[in-house]
Amino acid sequence: MKLEELVEQFARNVAAQTDAIHRGDSRTGNKHAKQYTAALQALRAQGDTGREALAVLLKHPRTDVRAMAAAFLLRYRTAEAQAVLEAAANEGGVAAIGAIMTLRRWKDGTWALDPE
């Protein structure tokens, strides 16, 4: 699968998971989480080329997609990812919870979403 297709799979499934959470449908949400995780693993397997491809999502129109991409890009694109997460944390909603927790783990040194 091409990098662009993996990035689209990641974005589409993050958005679908958020939508499922809003509906109270955890089963569907978990299905989409598995799919975006698979896309993320395939992108990571490409090293920094895959991370760079994922970084386009830092400007995605949906906050949840931007924040999820930022969570996985903190080590690679620290300043930009932190700015995205801080903005998401201030917006409220489902994405804010994840953004707040990600920033907390980053600051306390326990963040481990993208090992080197």
Side-chain angles (χ1 to χ4, degrees):
M1 190 176 293
K2 293 181 181 177
L3 291 177
E4 296 81 16
E5 292 169 338
L6 291 168
V7 169
E8 175 55 33
Q9 180 181 330
F10 179 90
R12 184 178 57 252
N13 283 289
V14 168
Q17 180 192 35
T18 301
D19 295 345
I21 290 168
H22 283 196
R23 292 189 310 271
D25 184 355
S26 62
R27 183 176 300 200
T28 299
N30 289 339
K31 179 185 102 179
H32 289 294
K34 288 177 184 173
Q35 291 176 351
Y36 78 68
T37 300
L40 178 67
Q41 289 173 344
L43 287 164
R44 275 193 192 145
Q46 300 300 313
D48 287 346
T49 302
R51 288 176 185 87
E52 200 59 40
L54 185 63
V56 303
L57 295 181
L58 295 174
K59 297 186 186 313
H60 193 276
R62 284 186 62 141
T63 302
D64 54 344
V65 174
R66 285 192 311 272
M68 189 67 76
F72 292 107
L73 291 169
L74 266 169
R75 184 181 55 77
Y76 182 70
R77 289 260 188 113
T78 304
E80 192 176 359
Q82 278 183 304
V84 167
L85 290 167
E86 288 165 0
N90 290 327
E91 284 184 32
V94 174
I97 297 166
I100 290 166
M101 296 308 295
T102 299
L103 287 167
R104 191 173 292 162
R105 295 298 161 260
W106 178 256
K107 289 174 185 169
D108 71 16
T110 61
W111 174 93
L113 297 177
D114 185 27
E116 294 185 52

